[in-house]
Amino acid sequence: MKSRSASSTADSVTNRIESRYCGRFAPSPTGPLHLGSLVTAVASFLDARAHHGEWQLRIEDIDGPRTVDGAADAIRNSLVRHGLEWDGEIVRQSTHADRYDHAIAELRRLGMTFRCRCSRSALSGDPIYPGTCRRNPHHDGEGAIRVRARAIEIAFEDRIQGGYAQHIERDVGDFVIRRRDGLYAYQLAVSADDGDGRITHVVRGADLLDNTPRQLYLMQLLGLDAPIYAHVPVLLGADGTKLSKQTGARSIEAHPAGENVWLALTLLGQSPPATLRGAIPNELLDWATRHWRIDDVPRTTAITNFLALC
Ligand code: GLU
């Protein structure tokens, strides 16, 4: 499916060279923060603050059916309780329809999109789209919109995980940017927001590592500058599945915020001094900003049995 070699091909993505830093934490409001998402938020926050950069909070609320009432407020309150204060107004993807429509129009103008009426069942089993509607394009307004996969390799250097590459046609295939129900696909929204929103650094969970070439591909087609990426390990529960809001991961609200931040720092390999055990989040985060070393974050995509490590 994917290659680990990030050979610098002609299609490698050129990252920004400017010194400005703008990071973001981009939770979907599908439930409250859990320890895994707190680890990601802490890493993203510390990397921004250690670079004297800006840190945005972007609520990814484009998937109406999956949005849980009150979850965005719960996430916001939880971030504040853990000392993770963002800059500026909260950004909400639900207000960005114009940006996404514009991106789709641009891809269409480039001849890079087609309508797809394949049913889910017609596609089952094969992760790579077989190209049915690409060969027989529909011209009316029904169906999903897919972007055409070109035969190019997209390679990038992740600050934690190292070199990563995918061949867009072979490993990914034509992918959906607007769903048949009209919702914008995550790949489109995140690419438009990171590129158009002038995000320079993305620090997020390693479960999204294999999404990154698709996003770089879209940014390349749209002529947007790509951010620099760092994918932090995700936490796996005792049963080996990813902690997620949907699986009802242990609530961090039941524990003192300082304890949660301590745990997050330890999982990120930052070894806070024993004298700070029991400190409030701001004290821990001050120390961690001054001592942030992304090189000490474990170079793995997942951490299992994480409570035993703390
Ligand atoms: N909204 C995604 C999530 O909550 C994260 C997207 C991203 O950081 O690119 O998992």
Side-chain angles (χ1 to χ4, degrees):
M1 260 300 266
K2 57 215 173 198
S3 143
R4 276 256 153 196
S5 74
S7 55
S8 56
T9 64
D11 293 311
S12 287
V13 176
T14 323
N15 292 116
R16 291 169 180 278
I17 43 170
E18 61 189 286
S19 56
R20 192 179 67 88
Y21 184 115
C22 184
R24 78 340 181 247
F25 176 57
S28 304
T30 51
L33 281 193
H34 55 74
L35 187 60
S37 39
L38 183 71
V39 167
T40 303
V42 166
S44 165
F45 173 88
L46 291 176
D47 199 57
R49 294 299 184 236
H51 284 88
H52 307 287
E54 192 183 323
W55 192 61
Q56 282 184 7
L57 172 59
R58 185 169 82 214
I59 301 290
E60 302 214 318
D61 54 356
I62 41 164
D63 191 343
R66 285 181 66 236
T67 295
V68 170
D69 275 351
D73 286 344
I75 291 171
R76 195 191 55 203
N77 294 340
S78 189
L79 289 172
V80 171
R81 191 170 89 86
H82 290 90
L84 301 165
E85 305 256 5
W86 56 93
D87 297 308
E89 299 283 307
I90 297 178
V91 178
R92 289 179 194 276
Q93 285 194 323
S94 52
T95 64
H96 290 175
D98 286 353
R99 172 180 279 172
Y100 308 146
D101 286 340
H102 184 266
I104 293 171
E106 179 59 11
L107 292 167
R108 188 181 304 125
R109 192 187 65 78
L110 295 168
M112 289 302 294
T113 61
F114 63 93
R115 287 267 171 193
C116 174
R117 294 214 197 123
C118 295
S119 64
R120 208 177 281 255
S121 57
L123 299 176
S124 64
D126 190 353
I128 311 288
Y129 181 67
T132 323
C133 294
R134 179 205 257 243
R135 290 188 296 271
N136 307 300
H138 306 288
H139 297 291
D140 65 27
E142 278 177 36
I145 302 176
R146 287 182 187 266
V147 69
R148 291 170 184 270
R150 282 192 177 148
I152 57 169
E153 180 176 83
I154 297 278
F156 71 101
E157 191 62 30
D158 189 86
R159 292 166 66 206
I160 297 172
Q161 307 295 335
Y164 192 85
Q166 281 176 337
H167 187 276
I168 297 297
E169 187 181 57
R170 226 176 28 234
D171 301 335
V172 179
D174 305 328
F175 57 94
V176 173
I177 54 171
R178 187 161 196 176
R179 293 168 19 177
R180 65 169 57 229
D181 58 10
L183 294 180
Y184 302 102
Y186 160 68
Q187 307 297 351
L188 178 88
V190 78
S191 308
D193 283 337
D194 287 341
D196 255 4
R198 306 189 65 234
I199 299 296
T200 61
H201 291 72
V202 168
V203 179
R204 63 182 177 189
D207 53 320
L208 295 168
L209 183 63
D210 67 355
N211 287 236
T212 307
R214 270 173 280 177
Q215 295 166 19
L216 290 170
Y217 179 61
L218 288 178
M219 286 186 242
Q220 198 177 73
L221 290 173
L222 291 166
L224 300 172
D225 284 331
I228 293 165
Y229 292 91
H231 286 86
V232 303
V234 295
L235 304 187
L236 299 184
D239 61 354
T241 59
K242 186 190 163 213
L243 293 192
S244 74
K245 300 165 197 135
Q246 289 84 1
T247 58
R250 187 186 80 139
S251 166
I252 50 176
E253 296 313 316
H255 298 265
E259 210 176 275
N260 295 329
V261 173
W262 173 278
L263 208 54
L265 293 177
T266 307
L267 290 164
L268 288 165
Q270 301 301 300
S271 317
T275 48
L276 281 181
R277 187 105 214 206
I280 57 167
N282 284 341
E283 260 181 81
L284 283 162
L285 293 170
D286 278 353
W287 175 87
T289 300
R290 281 182 277 112
H291 296 87
W292 173 242
R293 277 180 49 86
I294 201 162
D295 288 350
D296 289 344
V297 175
R299 292 176 181 267
T300 170
T301 53
I303 299 177
T304 21
N305 199 14
F306 59 88
L307 286 176
L309 297 173
C310 303

